[in-house]
Amino acid sequence: MPAQSKIDMLDKINAVLEESSGFYVVDYRGLTVKESQELRRSLRETGAQMKVFKNNLVKIALEQHELPALDETLVGTCSYVFFGDDPVSPAKALKEFATKTKKTEVVGGIADGVALNGDEAKAYAELPSREQLIAQIAGLISGFARDIAVCINEIPGGLARAIKAINESEEEQEAA
């Protein structure tokens, strides 16, 4: 029979998994306490949270939630960065921290119920943020609306120019 502490920890893992839409697995060997606090702070600013759990308990929780197994990824010292709706901002924070300290590495994760290897998880950091995507879409919509307005405005303008040209050619014919 498992120890009560492990059952309690499994319940915590299940609760965090239910609240999040995915997570990144981070190898954090060599981090000082100060660096760990700095990383946690930067992740909190993006709406993510970093937790450290026993890998075996995470494997059990993933199985209970019918999520893909990450057996090859969950090896050694791992921390888990759980995120809500936005997987990009935490990935950017992890990449920035890893570049700065050279002590952490994203080794995998799960996003939208799909298992990610390290490279796929790191690729999220290259995507534009949600705000940038919304701005790009708004710009595209605005551009289309402007183009439609210009086209609609040209119809009466073109008609007026055609009538003027016809009028001028009739005046020339009458004068001749």
Side-chain angles (χ1 to χ4, degrees):
M1 185 160 139
Q4 185 61 38
S5 62
K6 290 187 179 182
I7 293 171
D8 294 341
M9 186 60 67
L10 187 59
D11 290 341
K12 286 182 183 178
I13 296 169
N14 283 326
V16 174
L17 278 173
E18 287 173 10
E19 294 172 2
S20 63
S21 64
F23 63 91
Y24 297 116
V25 181
V26 179
D27 182 353
Y28 69 100
R29 276 180 278 180
L31 279 186
T32 65
V33 172
K34 185 177 180 180
E35 290 169 334
S36 178
Q37 290 172 341
E38 180 184 337
L39 177 57
R40 286 176 191 267
R41 191 177 315 108
S42 68
L43 289 168
R44 252 192 318 270
E45 290 172 1
T46 68
Q49 57 181 330
M50 185 172 96
K51 302 279 187 183
V52 178
F53 296 121
K54 289 189 170 279
N55 294 339
N56 287 336
L57 293 177
V58 172
K59 289 177 187 178
I60 293 168
L62 291 176
E63 189 175 305
Q64 289 177 350
H65 284 272
E66 298 178 359
L67 290 169
L70 299 174
D71 294 333
E72 297 171 6
T73 305
L74 303 180
V75 178
T77 55
C78 297
S79 66
Y80 303 91
V81 176
F82 295 91
F83 54 84
D85 294 334
D86 181 18
V88 177
S89 298
K92 287 181 183 287
L94 286 169
K95 179 183 177 185
E96 182 180 315
F97 186 81
T99 303
K100 186 171 106 176
T101 63
K102 307 274 191 262
K103 293 182 180 178
T104 59
E105 180 183 7
V106 178
V107 293
I110 293 180
D112 298 322
V114 178
L116 307 171
N117 64 29
D119 292 334
E120 292 168 336
K122 291 174 191 172
Y124 274 86
E126 305 302 322
L127 296 173
S129 70
R130 182 180 181 145
E131 291 78 20
Q132 289 171 325
L133 286 174
I134 290 171
Q136 289 174 352
I137 291 170
L140 287 172
I141 291 170
S142 172
F144 288 133
R146 185 184 64 247
D147 291 346
I148 289 171
V150 167
C151 288
I152 290 173
N153 194 30
E154 279 300 310
I155 293 172
L159 181 60
R161 284 189 296 274
I163 292 172
K164 182 180 178 185
I166 292 172
N167 191 20
E168 288 175 357
S169 70
E170 287 179 358
E171 287 176 1
E172 287 177 8
Q173 288 177 356
E174 287 178 5

